[in-house]
Amino acid sequence: MSESRTVTRSMLHAFLAALIRSKPGLAGAVILTIFVLAALLAPVLGLPDPVKGDLLARLKPPTISLSGFGAHPLGTDQLGRDILSRIIYGGRVTLMIAALSVLTGGVFGVVIGLISGFFGGWVDRVLMRVVDMQLSVPLTILALLIIASLGPALHNLVMVLALTSWVQYARVVRGQVLAVKSREYIQSARAIAAHPLRIIFHHVLPNVMTPAIVVLTLELARIILLEAGLSFLGLGIQPPDAAWGRMLAEGRTFMSTAWWLSVFPGVAIMLTVLSVNLLGDWLRDYFDPHLEG
Amino acid sequence: MKFHARPSSTSHLAMLRTAFAASVALVALSASAEAASLTIGLSSSVNSLDPAQAQVVQTDLSTISELYSSLVTRGPDMKLKGDLAESWAAVDDNTWSFKLKPGIKFPNGEALDAAAVKWNFDRVKSPDTKARNKLWFDPIKSIEVVSPTEIRFITDKPYPALPAQLSMFYLLAPKWTETHNPILEAMGTGPYDLVSATPGDRIVLKAKKDYYGAKPAYDDVTLRIIPEAAARMAAVEAKEVDLAFDIPVADVARLNKENGLAAGWIDSSRMMVLKINTLKAPLDKQAEVRQALNYAVDKKAIADAIYAGASTVSACQLVSPQYFGFNPDLKAYPYDPEKAKQLLKAAGVSGKLDVELEVPLGRYLAASDLAQIIGQQLSEVGINAKIHEMEFGAWAKKYAGGDLGNMALTGQAWPTLDADGLLSLYDSSNPTSYFKNADFDAALAKARSTTDVNARLEQYKIATKIMCEQAPDLFLFSQPTTYTHSKGVTWQARGDEWVRASDVTPAK
């Protein structure tokens, strides 16, 4: 018991050491941590109300400078709301939706991938045809269609985004299962007539998790963009709540008179997606023994 | 002109010369065409060229008015004048007589006489046509051809707004319509002929050579549909479009500063309101709750902020001073959140009152911004307005289907500029009134039953007062008509949403 804990700890140690050695990976991790912390701590940061605006302080340019933050560091929007505060609160919404969707899609996709790869035969064929079908449908159009008919609500959004993402996991996990299935330890588990579910969860799953985690990071970036896109089209979060895509859309009409309305949310989206991608790339390299050294 | 290149043969040179001459000719041609051509940028699509199916003034009806004639028309000075009609008069309380200009013919030779007018009227009334604007002509019972140049409209009850309503009645050629689809094609007696119509993109018009009325200044007119405000502005800045509408108020000052451009706004006849569904809980029973909504919103501050002051706060009525039937005695509900809270308390509302606020997108200026501020102000008196944004078409379907939410942001106008039409939107016999008040209906009916101007005004005073007290709306302010144009043209700005090429002339 204590021995395995020591092993886990040293693995974690090696992981972190490797992360710190990798400059892009570290940068990604740091930026993402800042965004996540800001989102989690938003209520205690003493920010102005993100929803309540001051009509007399509309479209005020950013006040941030070398001498300090000023009243509205990133300016105010067309209703006099503080943009920094809206970006941070919007980040809560965006990141929460992205995390929930990625997890929902991930769990579903991994399970499907495990079943498909492990049992093979007609189960595999049917499930993989479903995956092919799903892949043949343009995902943005599918999301638009579902949201337009069900109405834009948080749970619908999560469901739709999860739906567009599970196939990636299913395919990667299935391939990995096929590779693992013929290994000796699986054969011996079968030989002692272990229950298939036990084999799947105890012996197969731990060995297919690393590629799934890599897919997860890449999907996270894609989902943040898709959510921003849906919000931009007015099918995401309903006003007055902030979401980055929505802020971008609202700021669009003011591009020529007040650039800060859409530029800062755009930067937030870009930084988040970039950091998640950097982290994902590093994770893939880290877990892939062929690329080491 | 000498060519310095050394052509290998004389035929090559000749070819070059011809090409050059042709290109010079082409440039000259397009330059002369440019002088007499006008391009107008619209924010939404022209959906139908059939006068019976046209409802939106700024797009459908305006385009139709370039192609077809009506009996009367409203000029940019808001006054009615004859188009096909030479004169008109009320014969008695229930009969209007129109004298038509003689000898007007459609391009295919069909006569546009009293019989053709009657055919058009019967077409709109016929259930087979499924005319979307049939309701406009409901008060007219029948139509009688007296002679080829005189026609009479007979109503059940006196209908003083009839001439104004007929300014939205455009006339097709009977024989032509039998073999053509008037939704996509056109052949009329208006100032312009249709060259081409590309749905969602553009409509190209060419001036008639033998138009019976005053010849418009531009021979070639293109109506371009550019839904995105930023793209519309860019098109004007790039001089691709001469005149465009519905630009964000915030950009008016900027465009005005730009070289060769002018921009502005004019108070429009469209009143913005939150239409309240008074048949749906919790805003159905007590008028006090709806009054509280009216007290809770600072109309002036919002109009100043979002419409940059280019708007007039509603005097507790749908009717603005441009309309016949405006009630000068009514005053807007003052901004008084304390009073709102008291009213809510007195009405027995405890805690948060949850209501839906539907916001159709793409139709009204800055709709989303308005809804968000109003929602925020309502929340301060304990009303939690949950915003549902939806595409205008989807919302219109919901609204027409009797499924309106508790409140919806809409703008209401009636092109005849007569309270008769505007207030009839709240008559309980109207399927989209969402308001039932017998006294209000009675006042409208009484106003309709007389041609006496003072008696009508008296009834509209009663009707608007009832509406103010019963508050089937959260009355807001007028929506400005914003526009921008190149300094090369002059546009006679008008606030009733008609977009007519004949209102535009080259600047001197």
Side-chain angles (χ1 to χ4, degrees), chain A residues 51-53 55 58 78-79 81 238-240 246 250 252-254 256-257, chain B residues 228 248 250-251 254 301-302 305-306 368-369 372-373 376 380 387-389:
Chain A
V51 171
K52 224 164 125 178
L55 283 182
R58 304 170 60 241
Q78 78 282 11
L79 302 181
R81 300 173 295 200
Q238 285 287 298
R246 202 185 152 87
E250 287 188 356
R252 183 186 41 157
T253 40
F254 297 90
S256 46
T257 43
Chain B
E228 196 59 49
D251 285 280
R254 178 182 66 84
I302 298 177
I306 304 299
S368 179
D369 291 348
Q372 292 186 49
I373 301 194
Q376 184 202 319
E380 273 157 31
I387 295 176
H388 300 278
E389 289 190 343

Side-chain angles (χ1 to χ4, degrees), chain A residues 94 96-110 112 131 134-135 139-140 142-144 146-147 150 153-170 215-216 219-220 222-224 226-227 230:
Chain A
T94 302
M96 184 180 72
I97 290 177
L100 281 178
S101 319
V102 160
L103 287 179
T104 316
V107 168
F108 188 68
V110 167
I112 296 285
V131 166
Q134 166 94 59
L135 279 175
L139 296 182
T140 316
L142 182 75
L144 279 175
I146 297 175
I147 293 285
L150 293 181
L154 193 76
H155 55 272
N156 288 343
L157 208 58
V158 168
M159 196 196 77
V160 164
L161 293 173
L163 188 68
T164 65
S165 118
W166 69 273
V167 285
Q168 306 297 339
Y169 301 92
V215 173
L216 184 137
E219 279 297 290
L220 190 68
R222 195 184 62 82
I223 279 189
I224 289 172
L226 184 56
E227 191 271 330
L230 287 175

